């Protein structure tokens, strides 16, 4: 990393300490000493225990479960740094929660992603760095520079190491994710299939129609978030019913709430590959068919480039 990086400071909240440590190790930069704890009534208290005056500070914090606690930590750490005269504060949010609330889905509903963007900006962040936003236009919700990084280079490297590319089919589990899946398919020169979900009548289960001939192919489902796991499991069943040989899934953010891990473990999915943008739970770590890829070097490289005023987008050319 460049000489300018001497002025970098890395501060971590409690959402993903393992990833923050790994990013620090990549940059050769120990985490700044800070206390982020709770009072008895669960109010968040923060104390930065090193001088950050004039420093280029990167706050590493996913707004994953419990989302509101981790968001509050991010806001209060940012406020503490601003009041400590940090020169520039970058909110590094590997998983940006509330991203699925990016538009009014019905009457009298909020656009929570915009509200969260306002909160982060008003807390004092000068720029934002995040990974695989659920909807790319959320970048426009911020009035400060926003870098949306992509996990696809990490996934492509892993796929190339593990699969025979001549017999691979990339699949989007829904129509909305086609652009993401197409981008990855292009990188590995693989054909693309799409799953069209539709509910014929209220209360009936969804029908999965596979668009594309998947017979004999090893299929890789690509998406940004796996939450309940229901869509993935049903998609895998539909692909196998249509003659697919095996089904894998590469998903950036393993939200995996409720009984999702058990649902994946008992499914016909050969393997679910997620990144450590959200700290994996013990259940995820011991699941036989879930594997975690590290994105520490990707985020670390982006932080180093930001600090030395180099291009971040060229990482993905």
């Amino acid at each position: 990393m460049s000489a300018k990086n001497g002025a970098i400071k890395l501060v971590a909240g409690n959402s993903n300490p393992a990833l923050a440590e790994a990013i620090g190790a990549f940059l050769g930069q120990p985490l700044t000493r800070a206390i982020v704890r709770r009072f008895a009534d669960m109010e968040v208290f923060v104390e930065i225990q090193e001088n950050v005056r004039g420093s280029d500070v990167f706050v590493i914090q996913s707004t994953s479960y419990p989302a509101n606690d981790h968001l509050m930590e991010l806001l209060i750490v940012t406020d503490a740094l601003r009041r400590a005269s940090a020169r520039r504060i970058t909110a590094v949010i590997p998983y940006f929660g509330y991203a699925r609330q990016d538009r009014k889905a019905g009457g009298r509903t909020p656009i929570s992603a915009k509200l969260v963007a306002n909160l982060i900006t008003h807390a004092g962040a000068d720029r934002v760095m995040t990974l695989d936003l659920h909807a790319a236009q959320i970048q426009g919700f911020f009035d400060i520079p926003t870098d949306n990084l992509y996990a696809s280079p990490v996934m492509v490297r892993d796929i190339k190491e593990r699969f025979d590319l001549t017999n691979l089919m990339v699949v989007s589990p829904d129509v909305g994710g086609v652009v993401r899946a197409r981008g990855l398919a292009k990188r590995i020169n693989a054909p693309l299939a799409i799953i069209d979900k539709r509910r014929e009548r209220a209360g009936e289960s969804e029908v999965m129609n596979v668009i594309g001939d998947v017979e004999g192919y090893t299929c890789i489902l690509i998406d940004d978030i796996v939450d309940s796991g229901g869509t993935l499991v049903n998609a895998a069943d539909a692909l196998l019913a249509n003659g697919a040989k095996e089904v894998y899934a590469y998903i950036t953010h393993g939200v995996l709430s409720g009984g999702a891990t058990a649902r994946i473990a008992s499914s016909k999915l050969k393997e679910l590959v997620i990144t450590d943008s959200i700290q994996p739970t013990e259940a995820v770590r011991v699941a036989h068919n879930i594997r975690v890829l590290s994105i520490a070097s990707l985020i670390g490289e982006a932080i180093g480039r930001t600090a030395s005023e180099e291009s971040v987008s060229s990482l993905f050319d």
Side-chain angles (χ1 to χ4, degrees), residues 190-210:
L192 177 70
I194 301 162
I195 290 179
D196 173 41
K197 290 184 297 189
R198 61 183 68 185
R199 192 172 265 116
E200 299 300 339
R201 278 183 292 279
E204 287 189 6
S205 62
E206 288 173 328
V207 179
M208 296 268 189
N209 299 310
V210 179

Side-chain angles (χ1 to χ4, degrees), residues 9 30 93 113 125 146-147 157 172 177 222 245 275 288-289 311 314:
K9 297 274 188 187
I93 312 170
T146 304
D147 289 310
R157 196 179 313 127
S172 174
I222 300 289
K245 204 163 76 173
T275 76
H288 72 96
N289 62 344
S311 167
S314 60

